[in-house]
Amino acid sequence: MSCYWPEQFLEDWVYAVDKDFHAADGTPATWATGQPKYWGEEHASIPLPSEPATACLNADKSLLAVALKHDIHLYSTSDLSPFQVLKGHVFRVDAMSFHPRNPRRLVSCAMNAMHDWGNSDNTKPTIIFWDLDEQRRRVLLSEDTVHELGKRAVDGIVRGLQESESSWTMDDEERESLHGDVGKAITTLNIKSLVRDNTEICGRLARNSASQIFNSTGTSMIFLPGEMPRSNGDEKWDICIWDTVKNEVRLTLEGHRDAIMWVGFSPNDKLIASISWDKTFRIWSHETGDLLHTFNSSGQNCTGGFSKDSRFFAGTSCVGQLWI
């Protein structure tokens, strides 16, 4: 199956503006006060060691979380200094969100999709809940400690071979290679131990189009269970509602038959909306999980949102149509 990568999409479909915008009467548009802004004019910037996958601010805007490969780097917004690094995922972090009421709680997801090219590990997609204060009390082994533990392990194996009846002996190159492999195994187990007591779910967070995975109080969270079904087919794409107080699935919303592109709660927390490539916008009851409305479009759908009074819902299709 051929793939159309984001880089190729941007190369094919990004165009320069042909002419400046203007009003209906032909009056040229003017920039807002203080605009335009250009790269290089920022008040401050944070140098990152690798390309970020996603980022988000916590509830009181004191912390910025940035997903860098398998880890989540936290920075203080007051002076942009490093605050904390969360380690626990074994694949690239794809999505994350802070709790809307508690600035020290975060949820993240590593889907183990094709982002980790060449990795044959069958680890399931994992959602991890983080308590930042608790996580700071858990310590990752230093490189020196891992090196020493690996050396002791390899030395023990070598002694075991010498004492056995086997004629096999390891040369220096083989010992060094084994030392490296043992060190990696120790580090992986140590990282997993850091989240051993964290709540984990086998599933995925909706990461497209600014999905709103928490309700306003943070007592409910939307996630997509299990591994990602095949899109552009006729597989089930279910939605689950997680009770963050009881730490259990409270509702499962069934009905979509293609990729779910956006999910979110209404401002009054009574409704849940979902938007899918299956040509439907669906509105559900947050209390019971009942399907209240199904609105059909003419094609694949992309994103949406509720009005502030929760009376109206707007959604867009992938061909530029707006439905209200």
Side-chain angles (χ1 to χ4, degrees):
M1 182 178 70
S2 61
C3 295
Y4 198 32
W5 298 106
E7 293 80 5
Q8 185 64 45
F9 177 85
L10 292 174
E11 182 178 337
D12 291 345
W13 294 101
V14 172
Y15 295 91
V17 177
D18 183 54
K19 59 182 178 180
D20 289 337
F21 295 101
H22 56 79
D25 62 2
T27 304
T30 58
W31 291 104
T33 303
Q35 300 297 326
K37 298 290 187 183
Y38 298 98
W39 291 113
E41 298 179 350
E42 306 87 12
H43 295 294
S45 61
I46 302 174
L48 300 175
S50 61
E51 182 179 355
T54 184
C56 60
L57 286 167
N58 67 345
D60 63 9
K61 306 297 189 292
S62 64
L63 294 174
L64 170 68
V66 182
L68 299 173
K69 297 183 178 178
H70 305 165
D71 303 331
I72 300 170
H73 292 243
L74 297 165
Y75 297 89
S76 169
T77 57
S78 61
D79 59 6
L80 304 184
S81 62
F83 176 78
Q84 188 175 1
V85 178
L86 302 178
K87 291 181 176 289
H89 286 294
V90 294
F91 295 97
R92 193 186 86 157
V93 177
D94 301 284
M96 59 185 179
S97 180
F98 276 101
H99 190 281
R101 296 287 181 87
N102 188 335
R104 296 288 182 168
R105 294 192 62 188
L106 176 76
V107 63
S108 60
C109 170
M111 293 198 295
N112 187 16
M114 54 189 174
H115 306 295
D116 291 292
W117 295 304
N119 199 324
S120 60
D121 194 295
N122 61 359
T123 302
K124 303 295 184 182
T126 304
I127 297 170
I128 299 178
F129 291 83
W130 308 85
D131 180 318
L132 302 188
D133 295 329
E134 175 62 30
Q135 216 63 37
R136 286 176 74 87
R137 291 189 281 268
R138 302 173 187 175
V139 180
L140 185 70
L141 296 177
S142 68
E143 291 185 7
D144 289 342
T145 300
V146 171
H147 179 84
E148 180 60 27
L149 291 173
K151 183 177 182 301
R152 292 180 190 176
V154 173
D155 289 345
I157 293 172
V158 171
R159 285 196 300 271
L161 287 174
Q162 292 171 345
E163 296 168 0
S164 71
E165 297 178 357
S166 173
S167 60
W168 174 43
T169 59
M170 285 190 288
D171 58 29
D172 290 343
E173 184 177 346
E174 291 172 329
R175 290 181 64 167
E176 188 64 28
S177 176
L178 180 59
H179 187 190
D181 291 340
V182 171
K184 290 178 182 178
I186 292 173
T187 299
T188 298
L189 291 173
N190 185 201
I191 289 173
K192 289 182 177 180
S193 75
L194 298 178
V195 293
R196 184 176 295 153
D197 297 326
N198 295 39
T199 298
E200 294 189 14
I201 309 172
C202 177
R204 299 154 286 124
L205 296 177
R207 59 182 178 142
N208 296 314
S209 307
S211 289
Q212 302 162 3
I213 65 170
F214 283 108
N215 67 336
S216 64
T217 60
T219 56
S220 291
M221 186 196 78
I222 300 172
F223 76 97
L224 309 178
E227 297 186 68
M228 182 185 298
R230 187 182 299 275
S231 58
N232 294 312
D234 191 38
E235 296 190 27
K236 291 178 59 179
W237 283 72
D238 294 339
I239 301 169
C240 287
I241 310 302
W242 183 261
D243 187 319
T244 62
V245 178
K246 297 181 179 180
N247 281 333
E248 63 184 21
V249 174
R250 190 172 71 81
L251 296 169
T252 298
L253 314 180
E254 300 179 340
H256 281 300
R257 306 297 295 189
D258 205 344
I260 294 171
M261 302 305 294
W262 183 92
V263 293
F265 291 91
S266 61
N268 64 9
D269 284 343
K270 293 182 178 180
L271 303 173
I272 297 169
S274 56
I275 290 178
S276 171
W277 278 359
D278 65 5
K279 302 182 182 180
T280 67
F281 308 97
R282 298 176 186 241
I283 309 295
W284 317 76
S285 166
H286 180 201
E287 180 180 358
T288 65
D290 293 338
L291 179 61
L292 304 178
H293 305 285
T294 300
F295 303 108
N296 297 301
S297 68
S298 57
Q300 293 181 333
N301 303 310
C302 293
T303 187
F306 286 95
S307 61
K308 290 184 178 180
D309 61 6
S310 302
R311 295 179 57 235
F312 296 96
F313 182 79
T316 64
S317 69
C318 297
V319 293
Q321 294 176 310
L322 175 65
W323 307 75
I324 298 177

